[in-house]
Amino acid sequence: MRADPSRLSPIGLATKTIQGAGRRGQWREAVTTYHGLQASRLEADAVSCGAVLQACQASAWKLACSFLWQIQEASVELSLVCCNIAMSLSGQRESWYRTISMLIWMCSIAMRPDAQSYTPALGSSRTWGLSLWLLRQTRPNRILSNVAVASMARAWQWSFDLFYDLQAARPLPDTIFLNTFLSSLERSEQWQLAVSVLQASLKGSPVTPNLVSFNACLHACGEAAQLDQALQLVRCMEASRGPSPDVISYSAVLNACAKLVQWTLALDELGRMQRRSVLPDVVALNAAMSACAEAVQWEMCLHMLTTSSGVDPDSVSYNAVLKACEKSAQWALAMSMYWQMARSRVGCTTATYNTLLSCCQRSTKWEHATLLLSTMLSQHVLPDIISFNACLGALRRGSQWQQAISVFHWMPHVDVRSDTVTVVELFGALAAAARAPQARRVAASLVACAPLVRDCMQPALELEARRPTGLAVTACDCLVSHQLREPFECQQLLRRHGLRPVLRTLRRARWSEPSGRALQLRDPVLERQHSLGASLTKDALLDLEGREPELMPPPWMLRASQADASPLLLWLHEDPPKVGAYLRPVQVEHDRSSHAERQALLSLLAREAEATFRDGSQDFGDFRGAVRLYVTHTLCISCLAACYQYKALHPHLRLSVGFRVL
Ligand SMILES: [Zn+2]
């Protein structure tokens, strides 16, 4: 029933006009009408004030505030409704300090804010501390609790407390609260807690979990690669002990499959969801494809891409095929996929280019690598550190040192900071070229980029000391051979990260007791680099025998070099019986057991064994005198280990090892 305007009081009429203006969004008209009331000395009441505030809306929040002041000045009794309207207006503006100041102001004029006043304040709160404080100021109702738990999403511990506090209190939390809480656990990677809260809710809790609750838990399990738990939850849903699983539920399981490279299981799940008439979407398809890609099943990946009916593959789907191509070194197929992507409307992302670039690196297609890197920029796809490292890797393999330097100089222009891999790849390219005739020009380039290399090498090596330093060692050898030691601090860095750990390992092991039947010396520190390089090997030999190794060939070596090598080759053929396990080789890239240094020491050991085993002992410790070994190149890590093992067996013997730097 509508009120007859003629029967309304002047205040009532004005209020009606203000409300009408508010509905039409004409806040200026509403304000003018209100001022008209004051001019005709009519006293505005709380209803008309509320109508003006409502008309101001979010666009004139400041005006609404000034109105509140005016109302207070005019001694109109401020209603809680007016204040709550103003609060909700400021809440819409998402300005927490405004809403909080408003709350404090309300308290200062002896007004008790109610649950409706706290809702916008909690909604705009960005910190859990503030939310908790606000919640404790009032008696929480259901909406208020839901808003609070949402604002505490980043501090799951607090929302956890809140959840259990509310279970004991009235009103009880509802499904919205449960879901908000579960998604806060999901975001905080607390999958165990999410699952246990869900299971507790299933066992007779007044809060009934729905599909959103299950999917939040499943997503948390999928991201944490908890495949068994995810499967258990989906099977529970399938057995009608919960809501029926949808495509999001299965996608979470497929995501866990991809993370654990369970590609056959992923295909089973894909078939299972189709049998249950749940059609896979692009997310589910991508997760299954990614499981196949990680397992290098490129044919399966390609099959899924081409036969995906009803699903439009996106860049992630293509990237999965590219990943499989990269892992199986299918360079041509990867490039054809790239052209297919360019033809279709699927955009290439940084991940696409990075996979293609590492494919080029594996196949030594450096021309394509540099072309892809420049295409990225022309297509406005920003390259990252992976893009540059892959390109440098391809250039290293192709010994393209000039291109490598220009790519390296390009990095700061696109705000990409180099890391250890960058330096190692760059050094590798330079070291490979240094063996070529243009070595002099390489040396000049090394000097030019010395400060850059030095700046990025130190923090990178310290952070990632576990990365292989083999290439950096080779590069440093190259620098030393060009008398470029001075501009670099790389030597010191390599001493710290390459030499020290190796020496610790070599000194620590109890060589004299070969354990079991192990024919190789297994050690991660030794296995990560093929050699210590010329200058570090010198340091290692100094550590072994307490004096500088000989670098010039001794006279007996010169005589030996003129002899016929065939008996030597025959001699290298096999380990002498019984003593092979005393000097175990280190496998780096290939078997190093037949290296001449080890074989020479083994042959000595075999002769010693004949003498010692005959008298019943197996102790080589009594041998005295001197053994001199000269090597025509820098010793590899395996042969260095053989020297250390030989010395450990003979504490009273002087072992001098010399080598020639090529
Ligand atoms: Zn060797």
Side-chain angles (χ1 to χ4, degrees), residues 449-527:
C449 66
L452 266 174
V453 173
R454 187 193 53 219
D455 289 351
C456 63
M457 193 163 175
Q458 178 137 18
L461 267 183
E462 276 174 7
L463 282 171
E464 303 174 55
R466 286 167 64 194
R467 284 193 184 278
T469 49
L471 273 172
V473 163
T474 316
C476 266
D477 265 9
C478 145
L479 304 181
V480 172
S481 67
H482 287 92
Q483 284 85 48
L484 282 169
R485 189 197 287 241
E486 285 316 304
F488 284 92
E489 287 151 16
C490 306
Q491 284 276 308
Q492 272 68 36
L493 288 166
L494 284 173
R495 262 196 191 98
R496 196 181 312 150
H497 300 291
L499 181 67
R500 273 190 218 164
V502 168
L503 289 188
R504 263 202 301 274
T505 314
L506 290 176
R507 289 179 198 145
R508 189 189 55 216
R510 296 183 59 190
W511 307 112
S512 52
E513 292 169 27
S515 57
R517 291 178 171 273
L519 294 176
Q520 296 279 347
L521 181 62
R522 299 306 314 269
D523 183 87
V525 175
L526 300 181
E527 283 169 5

Side-chain angles (χ1 to χ4, degrees), residues 37-50:
L37 271 177
Q38 285 181 319
S40 42
R41 294 178 186 278
L42 286 168
E43 215 167 81
D45 63 1
V47 184
S48 51
C49 290

Side-chain angles (χ1 to χ4, degrees), residues 147-339:
V147 175
V149 77
S151 71
M152 289 182 191
R154 283 194 193 148
W156 63 269
Q157 293 94 332
W158 288 105
S159 47
F160 195 71
D161 283 356
L162 187 65
F163 182 71
Y164 280 99
D165 275 1
L166 282 179
Q167 283 209 323
R170 298 272 158 203
L172 288 163
D174 61 2
T175 311
I176 299 174
F177 185 94
L178 175 73
N179 291 349
T180 321
F181 176 46
L182 284 175
S183 65
S184 85
L185 291 178
E186 174 204 328
R187 274 198 292 274
S188 324
E189 297 167 12
Q190 298 292 326
W191 67 270
Q192 296 103 320
L193 264 177
V195 172
S196 58
V197 167
L198 183 77
Q199 279 166 347
S201 311
L202 282 171
K203 286 177 193 155
S205 156
V207 188
T208 321
N210 61 9
L211 184 62
V212 179
S213 335
F214 271 90
N215 283 352
C217 279
L218 273 165
H219 190 262
C221 293
E223 283 298 305
Q226 294 299 321
L227 183 56
D228 291 337
Q229 193 61 61
L231 278 172
Q232 209 177 324
L233 278 176
V234 168
R235 296 293 172 267
C236 162
M237 290 166 89
E238 285 173 352
S240 310
R241 271 179 283 152
S244 195
D246 68 350
V247 66
I248 299 172
S249 329
Y250 283 109
S251 298
V253 177
L254 290 169
N255 187 22
C257 288
K259 286 197 190 314
L260 296 177
V261 201
Q262 294 287 334
W263 68 281
T264 48
L265 206 62
L267 294 181
D268 287 350
E269 282 304 299
L270 211 57
R272 196 182 178 91
M273 64 192 282
Q274 277 163 340
R275 282 196 297 282
R276 291 181 60 90
S277 311
V278 179
L279 290 177
D281 61 0
V282 73
V283 178
L285 179 80
N286 289 348
M289 282 180 73
S290 153
C292 293
E294 289 299 326
V296 205
Q297 295 294 324
W298 64 270
E299 294 102 329
M300 182 50 77
C301 258
L302 203 58
H303 173 75
M304 286 167 89
L305 184 80
T306 45
T307 57
S308 58
S309 55
V311 182
D312 281 335
D314 61 4
S315 62
V316 181
S317 332
Y318 279 94
N319 288 355
V321 184
L322 287 175
K323 191 92 208 155
C325 291
E326 185 223 332
K327 283 180 178 265
S328 54
Q330 298 275 344
W331 179 80
L333 182 65
M335 284 316 279
S336 79
M337 290 311 298
Y338 171 61
W339 293 121

